[in-house]
Structure formats: structure tokens, C-alpha cells
Amino acid sequence: MINDIEVIKTKSSKINEVDFDNLKFGSVFSDHMLVCDYKNGKWQAPKVMPYQGITLDPSAKIFHYGQSVFEGMKAYKDAEDNVWLFRPLDNCKRLNISSKRLAIPELPEDYFMEGLKALLEVDKDWIPKKDGSSLYIRPFVFASGEGFHASPADEYKFLICTAPSGSYFSGEVKVLIEEKYSRSANGGVGFAKAGGNYAGQFYPTQLAKEKGYQQVIWTDDNTHEYIEEAGAMNIFVRINDTLITGPTSDRILDGITRKSIIELAKAEGINVDVRKLRVDEVVEAAKNGSLKEMFGAGTAAVISPIAGFGYKGEDYDLPKMDDTYANFLKKRITDIQTNKAEDPFGWRYKL
Amino acid sequence: MINDIEVIKTKSSKINEVDFDNLKFGSVFSDHMLVCDYKNGKWQAPKVMPYQGITLDPSAKIFHYGQSVFEGMKAYKDAEDNVWLFRPLDNCKRLNISSKRLAIPELPEDYFMEGLKALLEVDKDWIPKKDGSSLYIRPFVFASGEGFHASPADEYKFLICTAPSGSYFSGEVKVLIEEKYSRSANGGVGFAKAGGNYAGQFYPTQLAKEKGYQQVIWTDDNTHEYIEEAGAMNIFVRINDTLITGPTSDRILDGITRKSIIELAKAEGINVDVRKLRVDEVVEAAKNGSLKEMFGAGTAAVISPIAGFGYKGEDYDLPKMDDTYANFLKKRITDIQTNKAEDPFGWRYKL
């Protein structure tokens, strides 16, 4: 059990340079960061220190073998300046699930939780209050150990950095259902928040953008007949009044927003069906008018409604509706996150 | 076209600290490195500078999204102190093929080739002469651009570092044919030398090691019925007197050693069959005695003979033979690489 976390405060805060009314996503960083080193076979004591550059040997394995995992979380400030997190222990547990698959040593949970609390305590003035804004939190682990040998590193760094942020996406999202490229393999690392999963998406997403889409809907790599994820988010499809999302697997991320939406929707009396979803079925539903909504779900955007999709050269528009599950569930979930509503699920975590 | 490459020499060489008679693989680094930055939409002039740490912002995308690619090459010194490379332009071209798939800007070929030559000129005393030793060369590119947004970086670093090295593998290698985990997806990045491909292999390889194997033989992620790669190498299987290797695809790396072996074996009158290879077929051949050899092929080890394999709980030993294709081809290829034999293929490249 970790007791006191050493805190080295910055001598010159940058907070007055930041325009909190016009924040982008994840591009301004708070004054401090948490750093914890793994060496000599164990995680050393985490430390809060001024946000600063990291110096690594050119042979550090992160540069060569992609041995890294990360998490995404948010902190919110309510009207009384209380600070709230959302299911933070789930992020900690998932970080370790990801780490295990990437052969990275798992981190003691209290290093994560106590380190996070100490960091947010120091940088609490960086948590924005404006509606829709939050402090985006990025815990990550990477291989700092050295050598040009394709094997797990003997040293790692765990960091938590934070960035006061506005909304992730803006505007209507048109997506392309992918027929060629894939995000993950059976028996691969798709379920982990591994760095390499994201880099592999960039090029197919660029190609989709050139065709006028903002994101790719990933399908299974073998047949491309099943819907798996939406960009870097989980995906939900509403056919008639049923909300459908694929089951988690070794290919699909066990999203915290995803599982919260499933639980919340069920509690609200919405019919939720967790099952494999064929592309054909979605196309057919679009044609016969039973396809009401599609949306991505993830920490950064919470819920990102999809306005239409392309598949095999055809474009399909989704209906414009006033009362969507997406809007309803996004408001419910953000109200819980920001302490504007009761939290019957015990998800909210007071700092 | 790049003309003069700026060279900043180290003030204190470490070369006298190195025991060139007892080199491990890729763990001692030469005095200098080549560095080339991508910013403002273009690759800047490459520079040779003292080998030194790299400082990055914690939000640099390499730490989060695995956007990196690399190459492996070797330089050899012959009896007259001439320095030789092996098909270096192929590495340069493959680096760009990998980069493209990872949404990394492609590098001008002359930056790679002229940069490499300038670096090796400065560090030519680091190239070992001892039989079996070489200067291992590691070109790599990674995302240095910043921000917690899962999108391609706007800045990158290309480096070449070198490490005087002994042999990569030693001893007999027992391998496990994988039935659960996978290396790559159809439509994924398996054909690229992307960092993330390697990190994903570490955990399954650890599990194989715990069972007494040194490496994993990767199979296709859908059926696990086809042999694909051997650890981080391509794989060759000899059944009777035919050498079989899988065709390249978007899942299998287009190995330079692999294609050199194919060409060389054919020129030597060996029957080479490039086709998909079923695990069943290899097991059956092991049982009926027609399986003569299996070996991995890659830059680091050149050829790494396999002594036996495990599959579905059974172990299969390969016959111990005196005149193997593996030994014959390894000697032929290293003789060409080190200027001990004629090079009818035009592979050798004099510095």
C-alpha cells in the first residue's frame, strides 16, 4: 500500500496562458504529471512532478516494438467545485489487462488510484467547469528498456498526464463500413488498448476521409460481414427500438462507456441486444427504414451520433429524429458523470 | 538530391570500452547516429550526430498510438577492410512501404542511402571483423508529434543507429505451433515492420517459453491451419528435397533474407515451392519422416535452424542431418554478404 506520494511542484504554472472557454481536445497539458518507473523487477514509488520532456535512449523499445498501452478517463467539476471521476478502477483494471497481453508488468492498483488522486489534487484548478468540457486524463505505460532485440523490455514508465479539453467530435459524422482493411485479428491484441491498434487505423481512416467520410466502421478481418467497432470507439446500432452492439471478444475493446450504456439503457427500459451484427442486416434495415440510429461510444466523445454510412459504393442516410437514444443516453450519462443527476449505479467517484 | 550531410562528431569515443570478441546482439551502440526530422510538411536535412538520448513531450504520439516502423540491416568488413551492405535499397523501399501503411510520411530514398553511408563512414571502426559478427543497423521512424488525439502525428523522427553484434541466436531452437494467438489480421499491418506487430508477439512467446519452447510458429488467425511466420522471421520447411515457404501477403513480411534464399536456392538447383503450407501437412511429414528441416530466415539470424516443434500437446523432433539446406544456404548467403564468394545476383553493396 502506497502512503504518501512525493509531489514536486512546478515553479511556473502555465494556467494563465490557457483559454478555458475555447479548449480543443487533448492539446493543452496541465502543469504536472505522475511518473512511476519499473526497474529492477518492480514498480518504484510514483511521483508527481512538473510536466516535462522524457529523455530516452534511441534503443528504448517503445521506438521499435510498440510495447505500450494507455487509458482514457475524464474528471469533471460540479457547481460546488467537487471533482468527480467515472468508474476509475475499471480503467485501472483494464490498463492491467492490456499490459498483460503486451507482456508489460502489471501495476499495483493503489499506485494507479493514489497516484491519480495526488495528481488531480495538485492540478485541480485545471479541471474546466464549462458544460461539455472536462479534464481529459491519459494514463499510459511504455517500454523504456533498451536494446535492438525483439523481446519484452526490462524497464517501463507509467505516466498520467492530463489535458483540459472541450468536446472530442463536432458536427455530423459520416462513416465508411470497411471492406478491405482490419483493426484486429482473432487471438490478437484488439481487446487491449495497445498503441499499435491505433496506428494501424490511421491509413484506412485517411483513405475514408479522402472519400468524404470521417470515420471507419471496422468489420471482422476474415469475412468483413460483421460490424465490430467505430473508429476508436465501440458501436451501437438501433433497429426499430432495439439497441444492438457486438459482444466483447479478443478483437473488441471492453469499453467502459459501452458497458455503462448497456446498463443504463436497460435500466431505462430500452431493449438492448448484445450480439454479433451483420453488415447486411444494417444495410437491409437502412433500406426498409427500420434503422433509426447508429452511434459510437467511448470516453472521449461519450456518444458520437452517426449521420450516415457508406458501403460498397452506396451511401445510406440515417433519419433525422428529435428524440434519439443517442441524445437521451448521452445526457443521462453525462448528468451522472457531472453530478447533475442521481447515480443509482455507483459509477461516480468523488475525489 | 542530398549532397553534403552535416556530421557532428563525438568528443569522446566509447570504442575502447567495447570487447569486440564477446559481442552480444544489439546491446552496445556505436558512437554516432543519423537523425532526420519531419516537420512543417517535409523531411528536413539528415544529420550525423553523437549517439545521445532523445527528449520527447509526454504527449508525443509514439507513446500512445504505436506509430512506428523499423528496418534491420547489417554491414560487414572483409579481409581487406572493405565495408559491405546487403541489398540496402530494399530495406529503404520496405521502410517506405511500412510507413505508408502506418500513415507515416515516406522518406526520400537518398536521405536514407546517403545518410546511411555518411553514418557508416564516421563509425567504420565499429564494424567488427570477427567471423559471424557484423554491425547491426537499425533504421527506424516514429511519431514525435504531440497530442492526445488518435490521429497521425504532424512530426516524425527518422534515425539510424548501429550496434556491433555477435550472432542473434545460439543453440537449438524448439518452436511451438500456435493454436490460439495470432500475429496479424487480413487487411492489417502484418506485412509492415510496424512496432506493434512485435509487442503483440511477446506474451504468446512468453507462454511458449514457459512450456519449454524458444519461439512461436504463427498460424493464420482465422483457422490456425496454415503456417505463416516463425517468431519475428519468415519460415521455410523442407519436405523431402523441396523447400516450401508461404507466399507474401498483407499478413506476412516480405523478408529480404526470405526472397534471397528463394532466389539462391533456385540458382543452386533446389526445388522451391512458394505456397500456403498447412500445419497438418507438416505434422504428417514429421510422422512419415519426409520432414527434413525447418528454419527461420531474417536479417538478424540469417538462418535459424529449428530442432523440433510442438503442436497440440505432441512434440516432433526433426532429424539430425549433416548436410542441411539451412547450413548450405546460410554459408552461401553469408559468403556473399561478407565478400568471401562471388555475387552473381548483384546483392552486395560496397560502401
Side-chain angles (χ1 to χ4, degrees):
Chain A
M1 188 66 199
I2 190 96
N3 291 308
D4 284 322
I5 290 183
E6 187 186 350
V7 176
I8 306 162
K9 286 200 189 177
T10 183
K11 285 176 183 140
S12 55
S13 172
K14 299 164 297 182
I15 199 164
N16 291 328
E17 298 163 23
V18 178
D19 177 3
F20 279 83
D21 287 326
N22 293 292
L23 291 167
K24 285 192 264 183
F25 188 89
S27 48
V28 169
F29 310 105
S30 312
D31 279 333
H32 298 87
M33 62 189 193
L34 184 84
V35 180
C36 183
D37 291 322
Y38 180 92
K39 55 185 175 186
N40 304 322
K42 68 188 280 279
W43 286 104
Q44 311 295 314
K47 220 185 278 190
V48 173
M49 55 174 68
Y51 186 88
Q52 61 191 277
I54 301 165
T55 301
L56 296 170
D57 194 83
S59 74
K61 294 202 178 194
I62 180 61
F63 296 133
H64 307 272
Y65 305 123
Q67 209 186 359
S68 69
V69 297
F70 71 94
E71 279 297 322
M73 311 169 68
K74 285 177 172 177
Y76 303 89
K77 207 177 257 181
D78 68 16
E80 283 74 44
D81 279 357
N82 296 307
V83 175
W84 300 95
L85 294 167
F86 188 71
R87 311 184 81 172
L89 200 59
D90 289 8
N91 291 97
C92 172
K93 288 183 190 299
R94 191 174 60 185
L95 185 77
N96 279 337
I97 289 169
S98 298
S99 286
K100 187 176 176 191
R101 181 61 182 85
L102 275 292
I104 294 172
E106 292 165 61
L107 187 77
E109 285 184 3
D110 59 327
Y111 282 34
F112 183 101
M113 290 301 295
E114 299 307 313
L116 176 60
K117 285 190 248 176
L119 176 66
L120 294 183
E121 184 57 37
V122 173
D123 276 343
K124 61 176 177 287
D125 291 345
W126 286 85
I127 306 171
K129 286 187 76 164
K130 193 183 168 189
D131 240 30
S133 294
S134 61
L135 187 73
Y136 182 75
I137 302 168
R138 173 57 60 86
F140 59 109
V141 188
F142 66 86
S144 53
E146 301 167 9
F148 295 150
H149 202 288
S151 58
D154 56 359
E155 296 190 357
Y156 296 86
K157 277 184 180 291
F158 165 60
L159 279 90
I160 305 180
C161 298
T162 68
S165 295
S167 302
Y168 193 76
F169 280 113
S170 56
E172 296 217 314
V173 179
K174 269 184 68 186
V175 298
L176 180 66
I177 298 182
E178 186 60 58
E179 296 168 60
K180 178 180 175 190
Y181 294 102
S182 309
R183 182 185 165 275
S184 63
N186 296 303
V189 302
F191 69 96
K193 281 190 87 74
N197 287 339
Y198 295 79
Q201 301 189 24
F202 294 165
Y203 177 67
T205 305
Q206 277 182 347
L207 296 180
K209 284 185 176 168
E210 286 165 16
K211 291 179 191 161
Y213 304 94
Q214 284 81 51
Q215 277 295 347
V216 166
I217 301 295
W218 299 105
T219 51
D220 68 289
D221 80 308
N222 186 40
T223 66
H224 295 290
E225 286 175 4
Y226 292 92
I227 300 250
E228 302 216 317
E229 292 202 13
M233 296 183 286
N234 293 114
I235 184 165
F236 285 81
V237 173
R238 175 182 172 185
I239 297 180
N240 292 317
D241 287 337
T242 298
L243 205 49
I244 307 164
T245 192
T248 54
S249 69
D250 59 1
R251 311 162 53 89
I252 297 181
L253 188 78
D254 184 11
I256 293 164
T257 309
R258 173 190 173 279
K259 68 182 181 185
S260 303
I261 287 172
I262 292 171
E263 211 173 327
L264 186 59
K266 282 180 177 172
E268 297 287 352
I270 295 171
N271 193 25
V272 181
D273 208 355
V274 178
R275 63 168 171 86
K276 292 181 80 176
L277 179 61
R278 291 182 60 88
V279 177
D280 283 359
E281 197 181 340
V282 176
V283 171
E284 184 53 34
K287 284 179 180 167
N288 69 26
S290 60
L291 180 68
K292 305 295 184 196
E293 296 181 55
M294 293 171 73
F295 55 85
T299 293
V302 187
I303 286 178
S304 177
I306 292 167
F309 68 89
Y311 182 60
K312 296 201 172 175
E314 295 283 329
D315 275 330
Y316 302 86
D317 287 330
L318 273 83
K320 292 189 200 315
M321 306 194 302
D322 285 330
D323 51 340
T324 62
Y325 285 174
N327 289 342
F328 173 72
L329 293 168
K330 181 168 184 176
K331 182 167 186 338
R332 284 288 291 125
I333 211 163
T334 51
D335 281 355
I336 292 172
Q337 287 171 330
T338 55
N339 194 30
K340 287 182 188 154
E342 287 301 302
D343 173 18
F345 307 99
W347 291 336
R348 204 161 51 212
Y349 182 98
K350 191 175 181 183
L351 200 68
Chain B
M1 189 65 198
I2 190 97
N3 290 308
D4 283 322
I5 290 183
E6 186 187 352
V7 175
I8 305 163
K9 286 200 188 176
T10 183
K11 284 175 183 140
S12 56
S13 173
K14 301 164 295 182
I15 199 163
N16 291 328
E17 298 163 24
V18 179
D19 177 3
F20 278 83
D21 287 327
N22 294 291
L23 290 167
K24 285 193 264 185
F25 187 89
S27 48
V28 169
F29 309 106
S30 312
D31 279 333
H32 298 87
M33 62 188 192
L34 183 84
V35 180
C36 182
D37 290 323
Y38 180 90
K39 55 185 174 184
N40 304 322
K42 69 189 278 279
W43 286 104
Q44 310 296 313
K47 220 185 278 192
V48 173
M49 55 173 69
Y51 187 87
Q52 61 191 277
I54 301 165
T55 302
L56 296 170
D57 193 82
S59 75
K61 295 204 177 193
I62 181 61
F63 295 132
H64 306 272
Y65 305 122
Q67 208 186 0
S68 70
V69 297
F70 71 94
E71 278 297 321
M73 311 168 68
K74 285 177 171 176
Y76 302 90
K77 207 176 257 179
D78 68 16
E80 282 75 43
D81 279 356
N82 296 308
V83 175
W84 299 95
L85 295 166
F86 187 71
R87 312 185 79 171
L89 199 59
D90 288 9
N91 291 96
C92 172
K93 288 182 190 298
R94 190 174 60 184
L95 185 77
N96 278 337
I97 289 169
S98 298
S99 287
K100 186 176 176 191
R101 182 60 183 84
L102 274 292
I104 295 172
E106 293 165 60
L107 187 77
E109 285 184 2
D110 60 327
Y111 282 35
F112 183 101
M113 290 301 295
E114 298 307 312
L116 176 60
K117 285 191 247 177
L119 177 65
L120 294 182
E121 183 58 38
V122 172
D123 276 344
K124 61 175 178 287
D125 292 345
W126 285 84
I127 306 170
K129 284 188 77 163
K130 194 184 167 189
D131 239 29
S133 295
S134 61
L135 187 74
Y136 182 74
I137 301 167
R138 172 57 60 89
F140 60 109
V141 187
F142 66 87
S144 53
E146 301 167 10
F148 295 150
H149 203 289
S151 58
D154 56 359
E155 295 189 358
Y156 296 85
K157 278 185 180 289
F158 164 61
L159 280 90
I160 305 179
C161 299
T162 68
S165 294
S167 301
Y168 191 77
F169 279 114
S170 53
E172 296 216 314
V173 179
K174 269 183 68 185
V175 297
L176 180 66
I177 298 181
E178 185 61 58
E179 295 168 61
K180 178 180 175 189
Y181 295 101
S182 309
R183 183 185 164 275
S184 63
N186 297 302
V189 302
F191 69 95
K193 280 191 87 76
N197 287 338
Y198 295 80
Q201 301 189 23
F202 294 165
Y203 178 67
T205 305
Q206 276 181 347
L207 296 180
K209 284 185 177 167
E210 286 166 15
K211 293 180 188 160
Y213 304 94
Q214 284 81 51
Q215 277 294 346
V216 166
I217 302 294
W218 298 105
T219 51
D220 68 290
D221 81 308
N222 186 40
T223 66
H224 295 291
E225 287 175 5
Y226 292 91
I227 301 252
E228 302 217 316
E229 291 202 13
M233 297 183 286
N234 293 113
I235 185 166
F236 285 81
V237 173
R238 173 182 173 184
I239 296 179
N240 292 316
D241 288 337
T242 299
L243 205 49
I244 308 163
T245 193
T248 54
S249 68
D250 59 1
R251 312 162 51 91
I252 297 181
L253 188 78
D254 184 12
I256 293 164
T257 308
R258 173 189 171 280
K259 69 182 181 185
S260 303
I261 287 172
I262 292 171
E263 210 174 328
L264 186 59
K266 283 180 177 171
E268 296 287 351
I270 295 170
N271 192 23
V272 181
D273 207 354
V274 178
R275 63 169 170 88
K276 291 180 80 174
L277 179 63
R278 291 181 60 88
V279 178
D280 283 0
E281 195 182 341
V282 176
V283 171
E284 184 53 35
K287 283 179 179 166
N288 70 26
S290 60
L291 180 68
K292 305 294 184 198
E293 297 180 55
M294 292 170 73
F295 56 84
T299 294
V302 186
I303 286 177
S304 177
I306 292 167
F309 67 90
Y311 182 61
K312 296 201 171 174
E314 295 283 329
D315 276 330
Y316 301 86
D317 288 331
L318 273 83
K320 292 189 200 314
M321 306 195 303
D322 285 331
D323 51 341
T324 62
Y325 286 174
N327 289 341
F328 172 72
L329 293 168
K330 182 168 183 175
K331 184 170 185 333
R332 283 289 290 126
I333 210 163
T334 52
D335 281 354
I336 292 172
Q337 287 171 329
T338 56
N339 194 30
K340 287 180 187 153
E342 287 301 304
D343 174 17
F345 308 99
W347 291 336
R348 205 161 49 214
Y349 182 98
K350 192 174 180 182
L351 200 68

